[in-house]
Amino acid sequence: MRRNTSITLLSVGHACVDVYQGAVASLVPFFVAERAYSYAAVSGIVLAASLLSSVAQPVFGVLTDRWAMPWLLPVSTLLGGVGIALSGVSGSYGLTLVFVAISGVGVAAYHPESARVARLASQGSHSAMSWFSLGGNLGFALAPLLVTAVVATGGLRLTPLLVLPALAGSTLCLPVLRALGQRQASGAGPAGAAGNDDKGSFVKLSLAVVCRSIVFIGLSTFISLYAKQRMDGSTAAGTAALFVLYLGGAVGSVLGGALANRWDRVTVARWSYLMTVAAVAGVVFVPGPALYVFVALTSAGLYVPFSLQVTLGQDYLPSRMGTASGITLGLTVSIGGLMSPVIGGIADATSLRTALAPLILMPALSWLLFRTLPEPTVPRPGTAAPTKGDDTDAALSPARPDRR
């Protein structure tokens, strides 16, 4: 199978999974309207999706470092969809938390192995990896439209229809996994790249991603409610703001891969975070329809470094690719969800604007951390890979990054 075909299928499958990350925030206004949940209560739902995911993703990453588990892609996709599909069926707050948590575990299981498979399929290309990330961002962007189209017509009882993207995504990944298995069986898989782990840089990178995550999850949880307040109570205004937030991320992901072909990844990420400081300030303080411009700039600024951070993490920990992917794609991102109840509690006690204002500091901290990071030395191809616990794992080791 050609590289472009594999990446396209994986990208669409990634979109089908990340619909369910975006769906959690997209369901928040409906939980508020239909069940009269408070800000703190809906923050708890976001926390339920994030908490188990934050624990599970690095665990799955460690497991995929030891054994190849490509079957996780279709299984985890289905699990993510089933959890969201059931979240609106029961009026019980406790059951809603359980179902959303189940979806979060499915999403957690998907990302470490999919990042390894995508890097193999991309042959290390930054641009190809940015397209893989684009798929996830498109899934985020489509989530509010999909949820609104389904739930606004018949209420939360129609959430079982939201399982359809999971069925599609689990099917689309199968041809890619079959092709990779055939490559491994024929001995045509690329040799893995060996290198020394730079744990200090990886920790700094992870902290930067945590700060980024706090901003993005905080905004994705409350931006629809904030825009609704700013636009005279219009529900459409809130849905549009969430859509812009996710769509801007799709643009930022592709732009990040293109910029990394000209400058190194650390430089691109550093300048992107600096721009995002001003953009988040605009979201919080600039009145009127200009809110949408700053939401788009914030989203693009947060997502330009996204795929670059994944490959940076893999290059900082070349002997633990699954762990690196699980942390940069999972643990650090999910930790941002832990702050949502704090933001919700402040909003209940004061105002939503006051609660969102501290988010301006987060991209500034990411910028400061990236100022201390080196660009990893790219390993030469053909270097022997570290011994894995399963021979098939060699087929899922990343190839040498290139500048394509």
Side-chain angles (χ1 to χ4, degrees):
M1 182 178 291
R2 297 180 60 184
R3 182 178 74 178
N4 289 348
T5 303
S6 296
I7 288 298
T8 299
L9 292 175
L10 289 172
S11 297
V12 176
H14 194 187
C16 292
V17 171
D18 279 4
V19 158
Y20 300 112
Q21 291 203 80
V24 177
S26 303
L27 286 168
V28 162
F30 296 100
F31 286 130
V32 171
E34 196 168 316
R35 300 180 180 175
Y37 288 165
S38 67
Y39 288 141
V42 293
S43 298
I45 293 174
V46 176
L47 176 63
S50 302
L51 187 60
L52 280 179
S53 181
S54 66
V55 175
Q57 289 223 40
V59 172
F60 282 110
V62 170
L63 292 174
T64 57
D65 277 334
R66 188 166 185 180
W67 299 288
M69 294 189 290
W71 54 267
L72 275 178
L73 272 64
V75 171
S76 60
T77 301
L78 289 173
L79 192 61
V82 168
I84 292 298
L86 295 176
S87 66
V89 173
S90 171
S92 165
Y93 183 72
L95 283 177
T96 299
L97 293 178
V98 170
F99 291 138
V100 170
I102 289 172
S103 179
V105 172
V107 172
Y110 174 85
H111 282 99
E113 185 72 358
S114 68
R116 291 165 57 80
V117 171
R119 194 160 186 191
L120 171 62
S122 72
Q123 300 172 10
S125 167
H126 295 320
S127 296
M129 283 296 289
S130 73
W131 284 102
F132 172 70
S133 295
L134 170 65
N137 300 330
L138 288 177
F140 266 104
L142 291 173
L145 301 182
L146 179 63
V147 169
T148 299
V150 172
V151 181
T153 57
L156 291 170
R157 63 184 178 82
L158 293 185
T159 55
L161 293 176
L162 297 175
V163 78
L164 295 177
L167 297 175
S170 61
T171 302
L172 288 172
C173 70
L174 296 178
V176 179
L177 299 181
R178 188 180 304 115
L180 292 178
Q182 292 171 349
R183 287 180 62 188
Q184 189 275 331
S186 65
N196 296 322
D197 291 345
D198 185 351
K199 296 179 182 178
S201 293
F202 183 77
V203 169
K204 294 176 184 177
L205 172 70
S206 299
L207 291 174
V209 180
V210 167
C211 294
R212 174 210 170 274
S213 170
I214 291 172
V215 180
F216 185 77
I217 294 184
L219 288 178
S220 66
T221 303
F222 295 107
I223 193 64
S224 60
L225 296 173
Y226 188 57
K228 186 176 178 180
Q229 289 180 3
R230 300 278 294 276
M231 302 295 174
D232 301 322
S234 170
T235 300
T239 300
L242 193 59
F243 177 74
V244 170
L245 180 70
Y246 293 158
L247 186 62
V251 174
S253 290
V254 176
L255 182 61
L259 293 174
N261 289 336
R262 184 166 184 180
W263 295 285
D264 65 78
R265 292 166 289 178
V266 171
T267 298
V268 171
R270 185 168 65 241
W271 283 103
S272 179
Y273 280 126
L274 187 60
M275 181 205 76
T276 306
V277 175
V280 176
V283 170
V284 176
F285 294 114
V286 175
L291 167 74
Y292 295 108
V293 176
F294 287 105
V295 169
L297 290 174
T298 296
S299 181
L302 291 173
Y303 267 95
V304 162
F306 189 75
S307 66
L308 308 182
Q309 290 169 161
V310 175
T311 58
L312 278 170
Q314 292 173 334
D315 289 342
Y316 287 142
L317 292 183
S319 70
R320 301 176 184 178
M321 294 287 182
T323 301
S325 300
I327 291 176
T328 54
L329 277 172
L331 177 61
T332 50
V333 174
S334 300
I335 285 175
L338 302 179
M339 294 301 297
S340 291
V342 176
I343 298 173
I346 295 173
D348 285 332
T350 56
S351 70
L352 199 47
R353 173 180 285 186
T354 300
L356 295 177
L359 298 181
I360 299 170
L361 298 175
M362 295 296 104
L365 293 176
S366 294
W367 172 73
L368 289 172
L369 287 163
F370 262 90
R371 283 178 58 87
T372 68
L373 290 177
E375 179 70 19
T377 301
V378 178
R380 296 183 177 181
T383 307
T387 301
K388 303 292 182 184
D390 192 311
D391 291 339
T392 57
D393 193 58
L396 301 181
S397 298
R400 174 187 182 273
D402 61 22
R403 289 289 191 178
R404 289 192 292 273

Coordinates of all heavy atoms in Angstrom, one line a residue, residues 231-318:
M231 N -22.8 36.8 22.8 CA -23.6 37.0 21.6 C -25.1 37.0 21.9 O -25.9 36.4 21.2 CB -23.3 36.0 20.5 CG -21.8 36.0 20.1 SD -21.3 37.5 19.3 CE -19.5 37.2 19.2
D232 N -25.5 37.5 23.0 CA -26.9 37.7 23.4 C -27.7 36.4 23.5 O -28.9 36.3 23.0 CB -27.6 38.7 22.4 CG -26.9 40.0 22.3 OD1 -26.6 40.5 23.4 OD2 -26.8 40.6 21.2
G233 N -27.1 35.4 24.0 CA -27.8 34.2 24.3 C -28.1 33.3 23.1 O -28.9 32.4 23.2
S234 N -27.3 33.4 22.0 CA -27.6 32.6 20.8 C -26.9 31.3 20.9 O -25.6 31.2 21.1 CB -27.1 33.4 19.6 OG -27.1 32.5 18.5
T235 N -27.7 30.2 20.8 CA -27.1 28.9 20.9 C -26.2 28.6 19.6 O -25.2 28.0 19.7 CB -28.2 27.8 20.9 OG1 -28.9 28.0 22.1 CG2 -27.6 26.4 20.9
A236 N -26.7 29.2 18.5 CA -25.9 29.0 17.2 C -24.5 29.7 17.4 O -23.5 29.2 16.8 CB -26.7 29.6 16.1
A237 N -24.5 30.8 18.1 CA -23.2 31.5 18.3 C -22.2 30.6 19.1 O -21.0 30.5 18.8 CB -23.4 32.8 19.0
G238 N -22.7 29.9 20.1 CA -21.9 29.0 20.8 C -21.4 27.8 20.0 O -20.2 27.4 20.1
T239 N -22.3 27.2 19.2 CA -21.9 26.1 18.4 C -20.8 26.5 17.3 O -19.9 25.8 17.1 CB -23.1 25.5 17.6 OG1 -24.0 25.0 18.6 CG2 -22.7 24.3 16.7
A240 N -21.0 27.7 16.8 CA -20.1 28.3 15.8 C -18.7 28.5 16.4 O -17.7 28.2 15.8 CB -20.6 29.6 15.2
A241 N -18.7 29.0 17.6 CA -17.4 29.2 18.3 C -16.6 27.9 18.5 O -15.4 27.9 18.3 CB -17.6 29.9 19.6
L242 N -17.3 26.9 18.9 CA -16.7 25.6 19.2 C -16.2 25.0 17.8 O -15.1 24.4 17.8 CB -17.7 24.6 19.8 CG -17.1 23.3 20.4 CD1 -16.0 23.7 21.5 CD2 -18.2 22.5 21.0
F243 N -17.0 25.2 16.8 CA -16.6 24.7 15.5 C -15.3 25.4 15.0 O -14.4 24.8 14.5 CB -17.7 24.9 14.4 CG -17.4 24.5 13.0 CD1 -17.2 23.2 12.7 CD2 -17.1 25.5 12.1 CE1 -16.9 22.8 11.4 CE2 -16.8 25.1 10.8 CZ -16.7 23.8 10.4
V244 N -15.3 26.7 15.2 CA -14.1 27.5 14.8 C -12.9 27.1 15.6 O -11.8 27.0 15.1 CB -14.3 29.0 15.0 CG1 -13.1 29.8 14.8 CG2 -15.4 29.5 14.0
L245 N -13.1 26.8 16.9 CA -12.0 26.4 17.7 C -11.4 25.1 17.2 O -10.1 24.9 17.1 CB -12.4 26.1 19.1 CG -11.4 25.7 20.2 CD1 -10.4 26.8 20.5 CD2 -12.1 25.2 21.4
Y246 N -12.2 24.1 16.8 CA -11.7 22.9 16.3 C -11.2 23.0 14.8 O -10.2 22.3 14.5 CB -12.8 21.8 16.3 CG -13.2 21.4 17.8 CD1 -14.5 20.9 18.0 CD2 -12.4 21.7 18.8 CE1 -14.8 20.5 19.3 CE2 -12.7 21.3 20.1 CZ -14.0 20.8 20.4 OH -14.3 20.4 21.6
L247 N -11.8 23.8 14.0 CA -11.4 23.9 12.6 C -10.1 24.6 12.5 O -9.2 24.3 11.7 CB -12.5 24.6 11.8 CG -12.2 24.7 10.3 CD1 -12.2 23.4 9.7 CD2 -13.2 25.6 9.6
G248 N -9.9 25.6 13.4 CA -8.6 26.3 13.4 C -7.4 25.3 13.8 O -6.3 25.5 13.3
G249 N -7.7 24.3 14.6 CA -6.8 23.3 14.9 C -6.4 22.5 13.7 O -5.2 22.1 13.5
A250 N -7.4 22.2 12.8 CA -7.1 21.5 11.6 C -6.1 22.2 10.7 O -5.1 21.7 10.2 CB -8.4 21.2 10.9
V251 N -6.3 23.5 10.6 CA -5.4 24.4 9.8 C -4.1 24.4 10.4 O -3.0 24.3 9.7 CB -6.0 25.8 9.6 CG1 -5.0 26.7 8.9 CG2 -7.4 25.7 8.9
G252 N -4.0 24.6 11.7 CA -2.7 24.7 12.4 C -1.9 23.4 12.3 O -0.7 23.5 12.2
S253 N -2.5 22.2 12.3 CA -1.8 21.0 12.2 C -1.0 20.9 10.9 O 0.2 20.5 10.8 CB -2.7 19.8 12.4 OG -3.2 19.7 13.7
V254 N -1.7 21.2 9.8 CA -1.1 21.1 8.5 C 0.0 22.2 8.3 O 1.1 21.9 7.8 CB -2.2 21.3 7.3 CG1 -1.5 21.3 6.0 CG2 -3.2 20.1 7.4
L255 N -0.3 23.4 8.9 CA 0.7 24.5 8.8 C 1.9 24.1 9.6 O 3.1 24.4 9.1 CB 0.0 25.7 9.4 CG 0.9 27.0 9.3 CD1 1.3 27.4 7.9 CD2 0.2 28.2 10.0
G256 N 1.8 23.4 10.7 CA 2.9 23.0 11.5 C 3.9 22.1 10.7 O 5.1 22.3 10.8
G257 N 3.3 21.1 10.0 CA 4.1 20.2 9.2 C 4.9 20.9 8.1 O 6.1 20.7 7.9
A258 N 4.2 21.9 7.5 CA 4.8 22.7 6.4 C 5.9 23.6 6.9 O 7.0 23.7 6.3 CB 3.8 23.5 5.7
L259 N 5.7 24.2 8.1 CA 6.7 25.1 8.7 C 7.9 24.3 9.1 O 9.1 24.7 9.1 CB 6.1 25.9 9.8 CG 5.1 26.9 9.5 CD1 4.5 27.5 10.7 CD2 5.7 28.0 8.6
A260 N 7.7 23.0 9.6 CA 8.8 22.2 10.1 C 9.7 21.8 8.9 O 10.8 21.3 9.2 CB 8.3 21.0 10.8
N261 N 9.2 21.8 7.7 CA 10.0 21.5 6.6 C 11.0 22.6 6.3 O 12.0 22.4 5.6 CB 9.2 21.3 5.3 CG 8.4 20.0 5.4 OD1 8.8 19.1 6.1 ND2 7.3 19.9 4.7
R262 N 10.8 23.8 6.8 CA 11.6 24.9 6.5 C 12.5 25.3 7.8 O 13.7 25.6 7.6 CB 10.8 26.2 6.1 CG 11.6 27.4 5.8 CD 10.8 28.4 5.1 NE 11.6 29.5 4.6 CZ 11.2 30.6 4.0 NH1 9.9 30.7 3.7 NH2 12.0 31.6 3.6
W263 N 11.9 25.2 8.9 CA 12.6 25.5 10.2 C 12.5 24.3 11.1 O 11.7 23.4 10.8 CB 12.0 26.7 10.9 CG 12.2 28.0 10.2 CD1 13.3 28.7 10.0 CD2 11.2 28.7 9.4 NE1 13.1 29.8 9.3 CE2 11.8 29.9 8.9 CE3 9.8 28.5 9.2 CZ2 11.0 30.8 8.1 CZ3 9.1 29.4 8.5 CH2 9.7 30.5 7.9
D264 N 13.3 24.2 12.1 CA 13.3 23.0 13.0 C 12.0 23.1 13.8 O 11.4 24.1 14.0 CB 14.5 22.9 13.8 CG 14.7 24.1 14.8 OD1 14.0 24.0 15.9 OD2 15.5 25.0 14.5
R265 N 11.6 21.9 14.4 CA 10.4 21.8 15.1 C 10.3 22.7 16.4 O 9.3 23.2 16.7 CB 10.1 20.3 15.5 CG 9.9 19.4 14.3 CD 10.0 18.0 14.7 NE 11.4 17.6 14.9 CZ 11.8 16.4 15.3 NH1 10.9 15.4 15.5 NH2 13.0 16.1 15.6
V266 N 11.4 22.7 17.1 CA 11.4 23.5 18.3 C 11.2 25.0 18.0 O 10.4 25.7 18.7 CB 12.8 23.3 19.1 CG1 12.9 24.3 20.2 CG2 12.9 21.9 19.6
T267 N 11.8 25.5 17.0 CA 11.7 26.9 16.7 C 10.2 27.2 16.3 O 9.6 28.2 16.7 CB 12.6 27.3 15.5 OG1 14.0 27.1 15.9 CG2 12.4 28.7 15.1
V268 N 9.6 26.4 15.5 CA 8.2 26.6 15.0 C 7.3 26.5 16.2 O 6.4 27.4 16.4 CB 7.8 25.5 14.0 CG1 6.3 25.5 13.7 CG2 8.6 25.6 12.7
A269 N 7.5 25.6 17.1 CA 6.6 25.5 18.3 C 6.8 26.7 19.2 O 5.8 27.2 19.7 CB 6.9 24.2 19.1
R270 N 8.0 27.1 19.4 CA 8.3 28.3 20.3 C 7.6 29.5 19.8 O 6.9 30.2 20.6 CB 9.8 28.5 20.4 CG 10.2 29.6 21.4 CD 11.7 29.6 21.7 NE 12.4 29.9 20.5 CZ 13.3 29.1 19.9 NH1 13.6 27.9 20.4 NH2 14.0 29.6 18.9
W271 N 7.7 29.9 18.5 CA 7.1 31.1 18.0 C 5.5 30.9 18.0 O 4.8 31.9 18.2 CB 7.6 31.4 16.6 CG 8.9 32.0 16.7 CD1 10.2 31.4 16.4 CD2 9.2 33.4 17.0 NE1 11.2 32.3 16.6 CE2 10.6 33.5 17.0 CE3 8.5 34.5 17.4 CZ2 11.3 34.7 17.3 CZ3 9.1 35.7 17.7 CH2 10.5 35.8 17.7
S272 N 5.1 29.7 17.8 CA 3.6 29.5 17.8 C 3.0 29.8 19.1 O 2.0 30.4 19.3 CB 3.3 28.1 17.3 OG 1.9 27.8 17.4
Y273 N 3.7 29.3 20.2 CA 3.2 29.6 21.5 C 3.2 31.0 21.9 O 2.3 31.6 22.6 CB 3.9 28.7 22.6 CG 3.5 27.3 22.6 CD1 4.4 26.2 22.5 CD2 2.2 27.0 22.8 CE1 4.0 24.9 22.5 CE2 1.7 25.7 22.9 CZ 2.7 24.6 22.7 OH 2.2 23.3 22.8
L274 N 4.2 31.7 21.4 CA 4.3 33.2 21.7 C 3.1 33.9 21.1 O 2.5 34.8 21.7 CB 5.6 33.7 21.2 CG 6.0 35.2 21.6 CD1 6.0 35.3 23.1 CD2 7.3 35.6 21.0
M275 N 2.8 33.5 19.9 CA 1.6 34.2 19.2 C 0.3 33.9 19.9 O -0.6 34.7 20.0 CB 1.6 33.7 17.8 CG 0.4 34.3 17.0 SD -0.1 33.3 15.6 CE -1.1 32.0 16.5
T276 N 0.3 32.7 20.5 CA -1.0 32.2 21.1 C -1.3 33.0 22.4 O -2.4 33.1 22.8 CB -0.9 30.7 21.5 OG1 -0.6 30.0 20.3 CG2 -2.2 30.2 22.0
V277 N -0.3 33.5 23.1 CA -0.5 34.4 24.3 C -1.4 35.5 23.9 O -2.4 35.7 24.6 CB 0.9 34.9 24.8 CG1 0.6 35.8 26.0 CG2 1.8 33.7 25.3
A278 N -1.1 36.2 22.9 CA -1.9 37.4 22.5 C -3.3 36.9 22.0 O -4.3 37.6 22.2 CB -1.3 38.2 21.3
A279 N -3.4 35.8 21.3 CA -4.6 35.3 20.8 C -5.6 34.9 21.9 O -6.8 35.2 21.9 CB -4.4 34.1 19.9
V280 N -5.1 34.2 23.0 CA -6.0 33.9 24.1 C -6.5 35.1 24.8 O -7.6 35.2 25.2 CB -5.2 32.9 25.1 CG1 -6.1 32.6 26.3 CG2 -4.8 31.6 24.4
A281 N -5.6 36.1 24.9 CA -6.0 37.4 25.5 C -7.2 38.0 24.7 O -8.1 38.6 25.3 CB -4.8 38.3 25.6
G282 N -7.1 37.9 23.4 CA -8.2 38.4 22.6 C -9.5 37.7 22.8 O -10.5 38.3 22.8
V283 N -9.4 36.4 22.9 CA -10.6 35.6 23.2 C -11.3 36.1 24.5 O -12.5 36.2 24.5 CB -10.3 34.1 23.3 CG1 -11.5 33.3 23.8 CG2 -9.8 33.5 22.0
V284 N -10.5 36.3 25.5 CA -11.1 36.6 26.8 C -11.6 38.1 26.9 O -12.7 38.3 27.5 CB -10.0 36.4 27.9 CG1 -10.6 36.8 29.3 CG2 -9.6 34.9 28.0
F285 N -10.9 39.0 26.3 CA -11.2 40.4 26.5 C -11.7 41.2 25.3 O -12.4 42.2 25.6 CB -9.9 41.1 27.0 CG -9.4 40.6 28.4 CD1 -8.2 40.0 28.5 CD2 -10.2 40.8 29.5 CE1 -7.8 39.5 29.7 CE2 -9.8 40.4 30.7 CZ -8.6 39.7 30.8
V286 N -11.5 40.8 24.1 CA -12.0 41.6 23.0 C -13.5 41.3 22.7 O -13.8 40.2 22.6 CB -11.2 41.3 21.7 CG1 -11.8 42.0 20.5 CG2 -9.7 41.7 21.9
P287 N -14.3 42.3 22.7 CA -15.8 42.1 22.6 C -16.2 41.9 21.1 O -15.5 42.2 20.2 CB -16.3 43.4 23.2 CG -15.3 44.5 22.9 CD -14.0 43.8 22.9
G288 N -17.4 41.5 21.0 CA -18.1 41.4 19.7 C -17.7 40.2 18.8 O -17.0 39.3 19.3
P289 N -18.1 40.3 17.5 CA -17.8 39.2 16.6 C -16.3 38.9 16.4 O -15.9 37.8 15.9 CB -18.4 39.6 15.3 CG -19.5 40.6 15.7 CD -18.9 41.3 16.9
A290 N -15.4 39.8 16.8 CA -14.0 39.6 16.7 C -13.5 38.4 17.6 O -12.5 37.9 17.4 CB -13.2 40.8 17.2
L291 N -14.4 38.0 18.5 CA -14.2 36.8 19.3 C -13.8 35.6 18.4 O -12.9 34.9 18.7 CB -15.4 36.5 20.1 CG -15.4 35.1 20.8 CD1 -14.5 35.1 22.0 CD2 -16.8 34.7 21.2
Y292 N -14.5 35.5 17.3 CA -14.3 34.3 16.4 C -12.9 34.3 15.8 O -12.3 33.3 15.5 CB -15.3 34.2 15.3 CG -16.7 34.0 15.9 CD1 -17.7 35.0 15.9 CD2 -17.1 32.7 16.4 CE1 -18.9 34.8 16.4 CE2 -18.3 32.5 16.9 CZ -19.3 33.5 16.9 OH -20.5 33.3 17.5
V293 N -12.4 35.5 15.5 CA -11.1 35.7 14.9 C -10.0 35.2 15.9 O -9.1 34.4 15.5 CB -10.8 37.1 14.5 CG1 -9.4 37.3 14.0 CG2 -11.8 37.6 13.4
F294 N -10.2 35.6 17.1 CA -9.2 35.2 18.1 C -9.3 33.8 18.5 O -8.3 33.1 18.9 CB -9.3 36.2 19.4 CG -8.8 37.5 19.1 CD1 -9.7 38.6 19.0 CD2 -7.4 37.8 19.1 CE1 -9.2 39.9 18.7 CE2 -6.9 39.1 18.8 CZ -7.8 40.1 18.7
V295 N -10.5 33.2 18.5 CA -10.7 31.8 18.7 C -9.9 31.0 17.6 O -9.2 30.0 17.9 CB -12.2 31.4 18.7 CG1 -12.3 29.9 18.6 CG2 -12.8 31.9 19.9
A296 N -10.0 31.4 16.4 CA -9.3 30.8 15.3 C -7.8 30.9 15.4 O -7.1 29.9 15.2 CB -9.8 31.3 13.9
L297 N -7.3 32.1 15.8 CA -5.9 32.3 16.0 C -5.4 31.4 17.1 O -4.3 30.9 17.1 CB -5.6 33.7 16.2 CG -5.8 34.7 15.0 CD1 -5.6 36.1 15.4 CD2 -4.8 34.3 13.9
T298 N -6.2 31.4 18.2 CA -5.8 30.6 19.4 C -5.7 29.1 19.0 O -4.7 28.4 19.3 CB -6.8 30.7 20.5 OG1 -6.8 32.1 21.0 CG2 -6.4 29.8 21.7
S299 N -6.7 28.6 18.3 CA -6.7 27.2 17.9 C -5.5 26.9 17.0 O -4.8 25.9 17.2 CB -8.0 26.9 17.2 OG -8.0 25.5 16.8
A300 N -5.3 27.7 16.0 CA -4.1 27.5 15.1 C -2.8 27.5 15.8 O -1.9 26.7 15.6 CB -4.1 28.5 13.9
G301 N -2.7 28.5 16.7 CA -1.4 28.6 17.5 C -1.2 27.4 18.4 O 0.0 27.0 18.6
L302 N -2.3 26.8 18.9 CA -2.1 25.6 19.8 C -1.8 24.4 19.0 O -1.3 23.4 19.6 CB -3.4 25.5 20.7 CG -3.6 26.5 21.7 CD1 -5.0 26.3 22.4 CD2 -2.5 26.5 22.8
Y303 N -2.3 24.3 17.8 CA -2.1 23.1 17.0 C -1.0 23.1 16.0 O -0.6 22.0 15.5 CB -3.4 22.8 16.3 CG -4.3 21.9 17.1 CD1 -5.3 22.4 17.9 CD2 -4.1 20.5 17.1 CE1 -6.1 21.6 18.6 CE2 -4.9 19.7 17.8 CZ -5.9 20.2 18.6 OH -6.7 19.4 19.4
V304 N -0.4 24.2 15.7 CA 0.9 24.2 14.9 C 1.9 23.3 15.6 O 2.6 22.5 14.9 CB 1.4 25.6 14.7 CG1 2.9 25.6 14.3 CG2 0.6 26.4 13.7
P305 N 2.1 23.3 16.9 CA 3.1 22.4 17.5 C 2.6 21.0 17.7 O 3.4 20.1 18.1 CB 3.4 23.1 18.8 CG 2.7 24.4 18.9 CD 1.6 24.2 17.9
F306 N 1.4 20.7 17.5 CA 0.8 19.4 18.0 C 1.5 18.2 17.4 O 2.0 17.4 18.2 CB -0.7 19.4 17.6 CG -1.4 18.2 18.3 CD1 -1.7 18.2 19.7 CD2 -1.8 17.1 17.6 CE1 -2.3 17.2 20.3 CE2 -2.4 16.0 18.2 CZ -2.7 16.1 19.5
S307 N 1.5 18.0 16.1 CA 2.2 16.8 15.5 C 3.7 16.9 15.7 O 4.3 15.8 15.9 CB 1.8 16.6 14.1 OG 2.4 17.7 13.3
L308 N 4.2 18.1 15.8 CA 5.7 18.2 16.0 C 6.0 17.8 17.4 O 7.1 17.2 17.6 CB 6.1 19.7 15.8 CG 5.6 20.4 14.5 CD1 6.1 21.8 14.4 CD2 6.1 19.6 13.3
Q309 N 5.2 18.0 18.4 CA 5.5 17.6 19.7 C 5.4 16.0 19.8 O 6.2 15.5 20.6 CB 4.4 18.2 20.7 CG 4.6 19.7 20.9 CD 3.5 20.4 21.6 OE1 3.6 21.5 22.1 NE2 2.3 19.7 21.6
V310 N 4.6 15.4 19.1 CA 4.5 13.9 19.1 C 5.9 13.3 18.6 O 6.5 12.5 19.2 CB 3.4 13.4 18.2 CG1 3.4 11.9 18.1 CG2 2.0 13.9 18.8
T311 N 6.3 13.8 17.4 CA 7.6 13.3 16.9 C 8.8 13.8 17.7 O 9.8 13.0 17.8 CB 7.8 13.7 15.4 OG1 7.8 15.2 15.3 CG2 6.7 13.2 14.6
L312 N 8.7 14.9 18.3 CA 9.8 15.4 19.2 C 9.9 14.4 20.4 O 11.0 14.0 20.8 CB 9.6 16.8 19.7 CG 10.0 17.9 18.8 CD1 9.4 19.3 19.4 CD2 11.5 18.0 18.7
G313 N 8.7 14.1 21.0 CA 8.7 13.1 22.1 C 9.3 11.8 21.7 O 10.0 11.2 22.5
Q314 N 8.9 11.3 20.5 CA 9.5 10.0 20.1 C 11.0 10.1 19.9 O 11.7 9.1 20.1 CB 8.8 9.6 18.8 CG 7.3 9.3 18.9 CD 6.6 9.0 17.6 OE1 7.0 9.6 16.6 NE2 5.6 8.2 17.7
D315 N 11.5 11.3 19.4 CA 12.9 11.4 19.2 C 13.7 11.7 20.5 O 14.9 11.3 20.6 CB 13.2 12.6 18.2 CG 12.8 12.2 16.8 OD1 12.6 11.0 16.5 OD2 12.6 13.2 16.0
Y316 N 13.0 12.2 21.5 CA 13.7 12.4 22.8 C 13.7 11.0 23.5 O 14.6 10.8 24.4 CB 12.9 13.4 23.7 CG 13.1 14.8 23.3 CD1 12.0 15.7 23.4 CD2 14.3 15.3 22.9 CE1 12.2 17.0 23.0 CE2 14.5 16.6 22.5 CZ 13.4 17.5 22.6 OH 13.6 18.8 22.3
L317 N 12.8 10.1 23.3 CA 12.8 8.8 23.9 C 12.8 7.7 22.8 O 11.8 7.0 22.6 CB 11.6 8.6 24.8 CG 11.5 9.4 26.1 CD1 10.3 9.0 26.9 CD2 12.7 9.2 26.9
P318 N 13.8 7.6 22.0 CA 13.8 6.7 20.9 C 13.7 5.2 21.3 O 13.2 4.4 20.5 CB 15.1 6.9 20.2 CG 16.0 7.5 21.2 CD 15.1 8.3 22.1

